């Protein structure tokens, strides 16, 4: 028997050995809480992606621009998070946060980003995650 209810932590003294909740109220409350937590995580992630997108937009007022990586770090840009990838025929990778993306570049050893706005022709691109394994 579970020692305590997964939802309210009250000791479970009676019932089947695999009992996890006091009653059906605690069971549904527990599952509702789990759904809420999962939803809160997607909201937080979406907020982070929107922040990245807004930084890229701000730094490329003409829809295009080259900017040092450190400037984005000052705005607390999160390089780990992006919505989609675009690879050029030459193999350059663009990381998009919604309709704004960047390609990492090196200019005289300095890490910079080439920021671009999403173009319609990019929609035809299909990323193959297994390509590099061949
Ligand atoms: Zn309970």
């Amino acid at each position: 028997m579970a020692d305590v209810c997964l939802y309210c932590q009250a000791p479970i003294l009676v019932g089947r050995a695999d009992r996890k909740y006091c009653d059906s109220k605690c069971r549904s409350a527990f599952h509702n809480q789990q759904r809420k937590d999962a939803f809160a995580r997607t909201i937080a992630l979406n907020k982070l992606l929107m922040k990245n997108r807004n930084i890229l937009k701000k730094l490329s007022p003409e829809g295009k621009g080259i900017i040092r990586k450190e400037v984005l770090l000052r705005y607390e840009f999160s390089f780990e998070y992006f919505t989609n990838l675009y690879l050029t025929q030459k193999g350059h990778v663009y990381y998009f946060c919604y309709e704004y993306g960047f390609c990492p570049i090196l200019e005289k050893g300095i890490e910079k980003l080439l920021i671009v706005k999403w173009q319609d022709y990019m929609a035809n691109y299909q990323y193959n995650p297994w390509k590099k394994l061949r």
Side-chain angles (χ1 to χ4, degrees):
M1 186 181 309
D3 296 326
V4 296
C5 169
L6 288 180
Y7 182 67
C8 74
Q9 270 77 52
I12 297 174
L13 304 173
V14 292
R16 275 171 34 199
D18 59 350
R19 206 170 144 189
K20 298 173 187 169
Y21 313 94
C22 305
D23 50 30
S24 60
K25 270 186 189 166
C26 275
R27 179 168 32 80
S28 66
F30 179 79
H31 290 296
N32 283 341
Q33 189 58 52
Q34 285 205 315
R35 261 195 301 277
K36 255 193 208 163
D37 292 348
F39 188 63
R41 283 193 294 275
T42 66
I43 295 290
L45 179 56
N46 197 44
K47 219 170 140 184
L48 206 128
L49 289 164
M50 278 305 286
K51 181 180 175 183
N52 273 1
R53 177 242 180 227
N54 292 339
I55 293 167
L56 292 173
K57 183 184 180 199
K58 187 183 178 126
L59 296 176
S60 61
E62 309 292 320
K64 199 168 182 175
I66 291 177
I67 197 117
R68 284 170 180 241
K69 177 188 173 187
E70 62 192 48
V71 177
L72 279 87
L73 291 175
R74 235 179 282 147
Y75 285 100
E76 296 177 325
F77 190 90
S78 304
F79 287 96
E80 303 81 10
Y81 295 97
F82 46 89
T83 56
N84 54 302
L85 292 172
Y86 178 76
L87 266 71
T88 65
Q89 303 233 317
K90 288 181 179 173
H92 299 292
V93 184
Y94 282 83
Y95 300 87
F96 277 87
C97 296
Y98 301 102
E99 80 274 36
Y100 287 91
F102 71 90
C103 180
I105 57 172
L106 272 179
E107 272 187 0
K108 294 173 184 167
I110 299 168
E111 292 177 327
K112 296 182 180 180
L113 300 90
L114 170 61
I115 301 174
V116 298
K117 204 172 173 188
W118 180 262
Q119 304 295 312
D120 286 338
Y121 71 83
M122 293 172 170
N124 299 324
Y125 173 71
Q126 289 188 323
Y127 180 62
N128 179 358
W130 292 269
K131 194 174 176 184
K132 286 195 171 176
L133 299 177
R134 291 180 198 283

